[in-house]
Amino acid sequence: MLIAEDLVLLVFDDETGKPDSMVTNLPYALAGALLIELGIENRIGVDGKGRLELLDRTPPAHPVLADALVKLEKFDGRKPKDAISPLSGQKLTERLLEGLADRGVLRREEGKVLKLFPVTRWPAEDSAHEESLRSKLNAVLVDGEEPDERTAALVAVLAAIKAASKVLDLPERADRKVVDQRAKEIAEGDWGSTATRKAIDELMVAVMTAVMIPAIVTTTAT
């Protein structure tokens, strides 16, 4: 399961099959998750000037990740943030949802709003992986357990879009603040290997820059 797929499962409601309205800039976060995954796998890195470099062009097994690596060939030698928007396009969210449905994790439901406008929902079909994922996140973000590398990467992406407390069932506002602070600490912590830490740091900056710009533009416009 990709980090981006984990993020999709956390954001989409199991019953309604719709994304949480409180989570914004999801396509950018998913694109960032793909970048970070490629960084963890040592397929891409960041040089001393903070620019992307492709280290291994061998196609990954997952088609979405493989396509992302091909797209990154155009961004070899450029800043990681330059690749976020292009990677987030071409229906990235839908491709991830369809892949999860094909594997029986989600269920695709077609319908219409007001009997006129077509809409697709993605309720849960098999929640076993998501339940395990939420349990792991609860252990890390609420109970204070140390995360493994992939869990830390997921938490870092959640922190970038300020969604860590939104994807967990936390009724108390104080608890949400604690969880968000814990997620921020993990995102800024030393959870990557020495070889990939610099690359991950640069990629996280790229993700945070990408998700913050639309919010700034929206705020200015209003």
Side-chain angles (χ1 to χ4, degrees):
M1 194 76 73
L2 298 181
I3 296 169
E5 290 176 320
D6 284 343
L7 182 57
V8 165
L9 292 177
L10 292 171
V11 169
F12 275 73
D13 185 271
D14 287 354
E15 295 183 3
T16 67
K18 297 189 294 185
D20 189 326
S21 61
M22 294 188 296
V23 176
T24 58
N25 300 319
L26 179 60
Y28 290 102
L30 294 173
L34 295 179
L35 272 180
I36 292 170
E37 185 114 37
L38 291 168
I40 290 175
E41 292 187 1
N42 291 318
R43 294 179 182 275
I44 63 173
V46 178
D47 64 19
K49 296 181 179 180
R51 298 186 178 276
L52 276 174
E53 53 182 353
L54 271 63
L55 305 176
D56 182 358
R57 288 178 165 81
T58 305
H62 197 292
V64 173
L65 202 62
D67 287 349
L69 186 59
V70 171
K71 289 185 178 72
L72 287 178
E73 291 182 0
K74 297 181 180 179
F75 297 91
D76 197 7
R78 295 174 61 178
K79 291 287 187 179
K81 65 181 179 62
D82 295 336
I84 294 288
S85 182
L87 286 180
S88 69
Q90 296 185 347
K91 300 182 178 180
L92 172 59
T93 306
E94 186 174 342
R95 285 194 67 193
L96 292 167
L97 287 164
E98 289 175 344
L100 289 167
D102 289 342
R103 283 142 61 194
V105 180
L106 298 179
R107 184 174 67 257
R108 180 176 186 141
E109 291 185 352
E110 303 287 354
K112 289 187 177 181
V113 176
L114 302 177
K115 298 182 180 180
L116 292 174
F117 307 105
V119 63
T120 304
R121 295 185 175 88
W122 306 87
E125 180 71 16
D126 181 354
S127 300
H129 176 77
E130 183 183 350
E131 290 172 359
S132 175
L133 178 62
R134 289 183 182 277
S135 177
K136 186 179 295 186
L137 285 175
N138 193 77
V140 169
L141 294 173
V142 178
D143 299 335
E145 290 187 11
E146 288 301 311
D148 57 39
E149 188 175 52
R150 292 184 62 80
T151 303
L154 175 60
V155 169
V157 176
L158 289 170
I161 59 173
K162 303 184 185 303
S165 64
K166 297 174 184 176
V167 300
L168 295 180
D169 185 15
L170 301 169
E172 299 296 330
R173 185 174 180 179
D175 292 337
R176 293 197 294 271
K177 289 183 177 180
V178 171
V179 164
D180 286 333
Q181 179 59 36
R182 169 69 172 157
K184 181 180 178 182
E185 292 171 356
I186 291 173
E188 296 173 350
D190 187 21
W191 49 266
S193 65
T194 302
T196 63
R197 182 64 252 181
K198 179 176 175 56
I200 300 302
D201 284 344
E202 292 287 346
L203 296 175
M204 281 309 305
V205 170
V207 175
M208 295 186 71
T209 300
V211 300
M212 285 174 64
I213 290 176
I216 293 172
V217 171
T218 300
T219 302
T220 303
T222 55

